[in-house]
Amino acid sequence: MSDSLTAKPPTRVLLADRDSAHRDTVARLLAAAPHRRYTLDWVKTTDDVLGAIAADAHDVCLLGDHLDQGDPAAVLTETVATGWRAPVILLVDIDYPEYEREVRDLGGADYLVWPDLSAPLLDRALRNALERKKDEDKLRATKEDLIRRLLDLQDAMERVEQQGAEHAGMAEQFDGKTLNGWIPKIVGSPAGDNARDTFIVKDGAITVSYAGYERFQNRFGHLFYKTPFKAYR
């Protein structure tokens, strides 16, 4: 075995099949796999399968058709329903043309036929299933990131729309020609007295004019609207 293989952590395989001869076959084939190291755990009942899946300690499951519940498709359906994302490969006694479609429809990764099993075939099926899972995980992460970005964009657009509405409301409070509705307050003068025409409208905007002042004398001023604003930025 090459150094590159021994340096990588082994792939953890769960075999679900009550036939000990099947266990021995899979163990022998995995030990002879040319491209990857494997560890094998063996369970014999559906409850043990679901318990092992709940522990989430395996990278892939080989689901045989020799369990306490005779229908492996039902066990596959129950396995997928738990939300376990590791690939599940069915091991069956007889090949049927419709198996591939049915297995994929049920959420399985692939199926293999016991009489055809060999170390290279099993190794390739496991590696392909794990690679597809990796690609699916990347696609799922990309999709989730895209959804988050779209939600952030939607939130930003709503904020911009809200700010635009508030800005539009402020624009309506100024007619662009007069100070109607605006209340000046200048130091030394009562509220409402625009002393020395400090605030004027010029070119459609409110501005400050010091044309009536000989000296400033710290006569600071403020301009208020007749009704409070909902928000100010």
Side-chain angles (χ1 to χ4, degrees), residues 4-40:
S4 61
L5 285 180
T6 57
K8 295 179 181 179
T11 298
R12 302 163 300 174
V13 179
L14 174 67
L15 172 64
D17 194 296
R18 66 183 178 183
D19 191 330
S20 61
H22 286 171
R23 185 272 317 272
D24 294 341
T25 297
V26 171
R28 175 174 53 81
L29 296 179
L30 291 179
H35 297 292
R36 190 184 291 243
R37 290 190 302 136
Y38 298 94
T39 60
L40 180 65

Side-chain angles (χ1 to χ4, degrees), residues 75-118:
V75 181
L76 173 59
T77 301
E78 196 169 356
T79 299
V80 173
T82 65
W84 198 48
R85 290 183 175 178
V88 178
I89 299 175
L90 252 63
L91 299 175
V92 297
D93 287 324
I94 302 174
D95 192 4
Y96 291 105
E98 63 271 17
Y99 259 174
E100 183 172 3
R101 177 181 57 81
E102 291 180 358
V103 169
R104 296 291 173 85
D105 288 346
L106 292 173
D110 202 351
Y111 80 97
L112 297 171
V113 183
W114 281 111
D116 298 336
L117 273 184
S118 65

Side-chain angles (χ1 to χ4, degrees), residues 28-84:
R28 175 174 53 81
L29 296 179
L30 291 179
H35 297 292
R36 190 184 291 243
R37 290 190 302 136
Y38 298 94
T39 60
L40 180 65
D41 290 322
W42 178 42
V43 295
K44 296 181 285 186
T45 69
T46 301
D47 288 341
D48 289 340
V49 174
L50 298 178
I53 287 173
D56 196 22
H58 299 89
D59 302 305
V60 61
C61 176
L62 297 174
L63 182 59
D65 54 0
H66 294 264
L67 282 170
D68 54 331
Q69 294 183 11
D71 184 8
V75 181
L76 173 59
T77 301
E78 196 169 356
T79 299
V80 173
T82 65
W84 198 48

Side-chain angles (χ1 to χ4, degrees), residues 132-147:
R132 283 196 300 271
K133 175 185 177 295
K134 186 184 298 184
D135 291 340
E136 290 170 359
D137 288 345
K138 288 181 180 179
L139 182 61
R140 184 182 299 108
T142 300
K143 182 178 179 180
E144 291 173 352
D145 181 64
L146 178 59
I147 291 174

